[in-house]
Amino acid sequence: MASSRPASLRAVLVVEDEMMLRMRAVDMVEDAGFTPVEAVNADDALAILESRTDIELLFTDIQMPGSMDGLKLAYAVHQRWPRIKIILVSGQLKLTDHDKPADSRFFGKPLDVKQMIAEMQDMIGNGSLKIVPDEVAAVIAKVSHPKANGMPIRSGSPDSTQEFLTAENDSLRLLLEQAGIDAEVLLAQAGIDAKEREAADKLQKLILEELHHRIKNTLATVSAIASQSLRTATSLEHGQHAIEGRLVALGRAHDLLLQARWANASLDQTIHGATEPYVTIGSGRISIAGPDIRITSGAVIALAMTLNELCTNTTKFGALSVPAGRIEIVWKIDEATQRLHLTWSEKNGPTVHAPSRESFGTRLIGTLGQQLKGQVNLAYDPTGFVYVLDVPMASLVAQA
């Protein structure tokens, strides 16, 4: 039964460790007419539930780092707070009714926006439904990919992005199946016996399942970038340019991770790679200094996307928009507290003014602190914009 509480006072707890996907889910909650509350893992979610009484729905990803995954969190919430409705999502698992708590609902990624809004409203009441205009959906499809499997995407359809992602995912599945067939043939030709082949098949299955999961998450992230960019765009052209820039930044981050084999990548290389497209290292317009450390894949993507936003903004409005302007990026590690302190400072640029409204880029920059369990401070000093990131090392470095 839907709650009698006014929609504006109904809160939905969004639990998602991927920054972009969490922001997308938050927008779905807002579009459904409810108040989003964010958490990056199960521990954060439980702490929030302990301190609040207005949470009416748990919206959680299943695959998450920490003491428990989203499914275990769902069971814990159902047992302790049975009144709270539950939505589970995953880009890898498929749940049956026997796998999840009673009366909870499960959806695979990438998520259909209109369906998720309708599901939330059906579970906890009516809100203010907002549908993305047809022309906006067409731009999302155009920027994501002009064609899907050789067939033009129907421009003007609100479901074109979802159709494209589904088509791309189907193509990926076929490619993975073909890869499995090719591998079996090669093993047979090489004379590998049945026992060795069985072990190789198991290893290949694990690798392909992980690749499949990463691709689905990437497609969901691309869809989130497109949707988020267009929500605050002043024009469709502006939105399209913003999407293109963010997808390029995401691609550069993945290139770096591929070089590191999706293990721990270099913080110094991440910063250099994110800034080089905007300003030449050694030109005197940017200085980068700090001890190099190896950081996790999640931190690489989050930091690369944040630096892309900072570079884009300074090129348009800040220090790099004038010849004399320059950027300083410095970081240090406090050994006593085991925290990393990074500062981006703009100098000799035009007079700085705080923005009149919060754009998606500003939200993304601020969200990084929460993603890494730290703090972000944005200072719009008249002499130059300053960005400060203060995070625990445990959030950046993979645990041994």
Side-chain angles (χ1 to χ4, degrees):
M1 178 180 294
S3 169
S4 59
R5 189 184 313 213
S8 60
L9 299 180
R10 298 175 200 159
V12 175
L13 178 57
V14 176
V15 190
E16 168 66 72
D17 62 306
E18 294 285 345
M19 178 171 59
M20 292 296 307
L21 302 185
R22 187 174 66 252
M23 294 177 72
R24 180 79 185 282
V26 163
D27 283 336
M28 292 181 194
V29 172
E30 290 178 341
D31 286 351
F34 308 120
T35 301
V37 180
E38 300 179 51
V40 297
N41 55 41
D43 294 330
D44 290 345
L46 290 174
I48 290 170
L49 289 167
E50 291 275 6
S51 63
R52 301 182 63 137
T53 60
D54 60 337
I55 305 295
E56 298 200 14
L57 187 145
L58 171 69
F59 186 113
T60 181
D61 184 28
I62 294 179
Q63 288 82 24
M64 290 187 299
S67 62
M68 66 174 71
D69 62 19
L71 185 57
K72 291 180 180 178
L73 170 65
Y75 273 105
V77 170
H78 179 69
Q79 182 176 16
R80 186 165 180 185
W81 297 280
R83 66 175 182 79
I84 296 179
K85 308 296 183 181
I86 299 172
I87 290 179
L88 291 153
V89 300
S90 174
Q92 184 174 14
L93 301 178
K94 292 184 179 180
L95 300 185
T96 66
D97 289 339
H98 298 291
D99 299 324
K100 57 188 178 63
D103 300 325
S104 63
R105 303 184 187 183
F106 169 77
F107 302 93
K109 293 179 180 178
L111 303 175
D112 182 293
V113 176
K114 285 196 279 187
Q115 179 188 13
M116 297 312 302
I117 290 173
E119 295 287 348
M120 283 187 279
Q121 292 185 327
D122 179 61
M123 295 177 80
I124 61 174
N126 293 325
S128 54
L129 180 62
K130 300 177 184 177
I131 301 300
V132 178
D134 288 353
E135 61 270 19
V136 171
V139 172
I140 294 176
K142 178 181 177 182
V143 174
S144 298
H145 203 289
K147 295 183 178 179
N149 291 334
M151 297 297 292
I153 294 175
R154 292 198 307 270
S155 118
S157 168
D159 298 322
S160 23
T161 300
Q162 183 67 28
E163 291 174 10
F164 161 68
L165 294 177
T166 301
E168 289 291 284
N169 207 44
D170 288 342
S171 298
L172 172 66
R173 177 178 54 78
L174 293 174
L175 286 172
L176 295 181
E177 289 174 356
Q178 184 60 49
I181 295 171
D182 293 343
E184 289 178 5
V185 173
L186 289 173
L187 287 170
Q189 291 175 348
I192 298 175
D193 63 30
K195 186 176 181 180
E196 291 174 325
R197 191 180 308 168
E198 181 181 359
D201 286 344
K202 290 180 179 178
L203 177 59
Q204 183 192 42
K205 184 174 183 292
L206 288 173
I207 293 172
L208 294 180
E209 285 178 350
E210 177 61 20
L211 174 62
H212 188 69
H213 174 55
R214 289 191 187 279
I215 292 293
K216 288 190 74 174
N217 260 1
T218 299
L219 291 173
T221 300
V222 169
S223 178
I225 288 173
S227 175
Q228 290 276 352
S229 299
L230 290 170
R231 288 175 68 89
T232 55
T234 55
S235 67
L236 292 182
E237 182 180 8
H238 172 260
Q240 182 170 341
H241 289 321
I243 293 170
E244 291 171 347
R246 285 160 184 153
L247 293 184
V248 168
L250 182 63
R252 287 196 298 268
H254 278 77
D255 286 341
L256 181 60
L257 289 171
L258 181 62
Q259 295 171 17
R261 298 184 180 182
W262 276 86
N264 296 341
S266 161
L267 172 60
D268 185 75
Q269 288 181 356
T270 300
I271 294 174
H272 275 78
T275 55
E276 280 176 345
Y278 297 89
V279 57
T280 304
I281 306 300
S283 64
R285 302 204 66 190
I286 185 169
S287 62
I288 300 174
D292 197 15
I293 57 173
R294 311 296 291 183
I295 60 177
T296 64
S297 59
V300 168
I301 293 176
L303 188 57
M305 296 298 291
T306 297
L307 288 169
N308 176 72
E309 296 300 322
L310 292 171
C311 287
T312 300
N313 290 341
T314 191
T315 301
K316 291 181 178 179
F317 315 110
L320 295 186
S321 67
V322 296
R326 58 187 306 271
I327 305 294
E328 288 184 359
I329 305 175
V330 295
W331 68 94
K332 62 182 179 180
I333 299 172
D334 187 325
E335 297 293 345
T337 61
Q338 279 298 292
R339 297 182 71 88
L340 179 134
H341 187 84
L342 182 147
T343 303
W344 161 294
S345 304
E346 301 188 17
K347 303 181 183 301
N348 303 329
T351 302
V352 173
H353 302 283
S356 57
R357 64 186 180 90
E358 185 180 56
S359 65
F360 165 56
T362 304
R363 285 180 58 198
L364 192 153
I365 292 170
T367 299
L368 177 62
Q370 183 182 28
Q371 176 80 8
L372 300 177
K373 300 182 182 179
Q375 293 88 39
V376 165
N377 182 57
L378 308 180
Y380 296 92
D381 297 336
T383 56
F385 172 77
V386 178
Y387 162 86
V388 176
L389 172 67
D390 184 18
V391 296
M393 290 293 293
S395 298
L396 294 171
V397 181
Q399 301 300 309

